[in-house]
């Protein structure tokens, strides 16, 4: 396990965070494949959807920090606060922006006059997450962070 850490980034916590993010993206791709019966490669790197890769990323970081440096340590506190902010943003601010994009896309699709150049491109609607998607991403991140830190120690 040490060779993997040394050759990838040289930082176990960063490696575990990246692993949790990658696992969430792969799960998202598989869920899209199963539910929509469509091979959509954009989901490998896209935001939004189930589970939240943002939540998985920051929760893996926080969980491995807590495991390695102690749950009362300042580094865990900082990483937990950042994780909470990211997860709140994913479930609220970015979700609201996605809802606004849906409305604007509807307006653009039903525009009866000549569309200005501004309306030439459809807006991305899948920006944020439902609270459940954030929770699942967070749980995935905590599991990867704790298991990886435990296996490494």
């Amino acid at each position: 396990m040490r060779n993997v850490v040394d050759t990838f980034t040289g930082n176990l916590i960063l490696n575990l965070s990246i692993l949790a993010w990658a696992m969430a993206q792969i799960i998202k791709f598989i869920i899209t494949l199963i539910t929509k019966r469509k091979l959509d490669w954009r989901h490998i790197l896209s935001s939004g959807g189930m589970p939240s890769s943002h939540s998985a990323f920051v929760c893996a970081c926080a969980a491995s920090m807590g495991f390695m440096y102690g749950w009362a340590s300042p580094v865990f506190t900082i990483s937990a606060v950042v994780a909470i902010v990211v997860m709140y943003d994913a479930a609220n601010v970015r979700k609201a922006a996605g809802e606004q994009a849906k409305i604007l896309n509807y307006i653009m699709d039903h525009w009866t006059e000549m569309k200005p150049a501004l309306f030439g491109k459809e807006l991305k609607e899948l920006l944020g997450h439902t609270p459940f998607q954030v929770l699942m991403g967070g749980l995935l991140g905590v599991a990867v962070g704790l298991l990886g830190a435990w296996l490494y120690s």
Side-chain angles (χ1 to χ4, degrees), residues 16 30-31 35 53 60 65 97 99 104 106 114 118 122 146:
L16 293 171
I30 293 168
I31 288 173
T35 59
S53 56
M65 288 278 232
E99 293 300 316
L104 290 172
Y106 178 83
M114 184 180 220
L118 176 65
E122 188 172 288
L146 290 177

Side-chain angles (χ1 to χ4, degrees), residues 104-105 107-109 111 113-124:
L104 290 172
N105 285 334
I107 291 169
M108 291 178 351
D109 287 342
W111 197 264
E113 300 169 357
M114 184 180 220
K115 293 182 181 181
L118 176 65
F119 296 130
K121 182 180 174 192
E122 188 172 288
L123 300 171
K124 183 170 178 3

Side-chain angles (χ1 to χ4, degrees), residues 35-139:
T35 59
K36 296 184 178 176
R37 301 194 191 294
K38 183 172 130 182
L39 195 63
D40 192 349
W41 291 102
R42 292 176 297 169
H43 284 280
I44 289 291
L45 296 175
S46 70
S47 62
M50 170 71 174
S52 167
S53 56
H54 290 83
S55 297
F57 186 77
V58 294
C59 285
C61 177
S64 55
M65 288 278 232
F67 185 87
M68 293 174 69
Y69 297 105
W71 301 105
S73 69
V75 292
F76 169 71
T77 303
I78 291 168
S79 60
V81 167
V82 169
I84 291 166
V85 169
V86 167
M87 292 166 68
Y88 177 85
D89 178 72
N92 292 288
V93 178
R94 288 178 45 236
K95 182 71 173 166
E99 293 300 316
Q100 290 175 8
K102 281 183 189 176
I103 294 167
L104 290 172
N105 285 334
Y106 178 83
I107 291 169
M108 291 178 351
D109 287 342
H110 294 86
W111 197 264
T112 56
E113 300 169 357
M114 184 180 220
K115 293 182 181 181
L118 176 65
F119 296 130
K121 182 180 174 192
E122 188 172 288
L123 300 171
K124 183 170 178 3
E125 296 176 9
L126 191 58
L127 298 171
H129 299 281
T130 65
F132 181 72
Q133 292 170 339
V134 170
L135 175 65
M136 291 297 104
L139 291 174

